[in-house]
Amino acid sequence: QVQLVESGGGLVQAGGSLRLSCAASGSIMSINDMGWYRQAPGKQRELVAVIGSGGRTNYADSVKGRFTISRDNAKNTVNLQMNSLKPEDTAVYSCKAMVLRMGGVRYLEVWGQGTLVTVSS
């Protein structure tokens, strides 16, 4: 049983900052890519940022220069530092990891429960 537990969501004014964290636990052999996704009200889920096992990153155009994704492989965590927040950043943010379980034969897609970020104007 592998689980992702997220924290850090909340209410913030436009221009402010939040830091989201996600920790993976369970019988984990290896974690490949980890990423953050968001789903705004009435919209489809979109990729916000992804980070590979070696630290390479990619961002959605809408958050480039404002958000920073990072990971700690020793702790099996991924973080998202969000600066200069805008009302359009309001969404449920979820983390995802590609996880190889101990004894597993393939990587599995594991999702966190999601955390709500609300940016007021």
Side-chain angles (χ1 to χ4, degrees), residues 1-3 25-30 99-103:
Q1 181 76 270
V2 176
Q3 293 182 330
S25 62
S27 57
I28 299 170
M29 176 66 73
S30 179
V99 178
L100 179 66
R101 298 182 298 170
M102 291 186 177

Side-chain angles (χ1 to χ4, degrees), residues 4-89:
L4 303 181
V5 179
E6 303 168 350
S7 61
L11 175 64
V12 65
Q13 292 185 346
S17 298
L18 283 175
R19 183 176 178 86
L20 306 182
S21 297
C22 177
S25 62
S27 57
I28 299 170
M29 176 66 73
S30 179
I31 301 179
N32 204 321
D33 293 352
M34 304 182 79
W36 287 94
Y37 295 74
R38 68 186 182 187
Q39 187 166 22
K43 297 184 178 180
Q44 290 188 324
R45 186 174 61 195
E46 65 173 339
L47 175 67
V48 178
V50 63
I51 183 167
S53 61
R56 284 171 285 187
T57 60
N58 196 19
Y59 297 89
D61 288 340
S62 60
V63 307
K64 286 181 179 177
R66 300 188 297 121
F67 291 10
T68 303
I69 189 170
S70 61
R71 67 190 289 169
D72 186 334
N73 291 330
K75 298 179 180 179
N76 288 333
T77 60
V78 60
N79 304 305
L80 186 68
Q81 178 66 46
M82 304 184 294
N83 298 326
S84 301
L85 283 162
K86 305 174 181 179
E88 50 262 45
D89 295 319

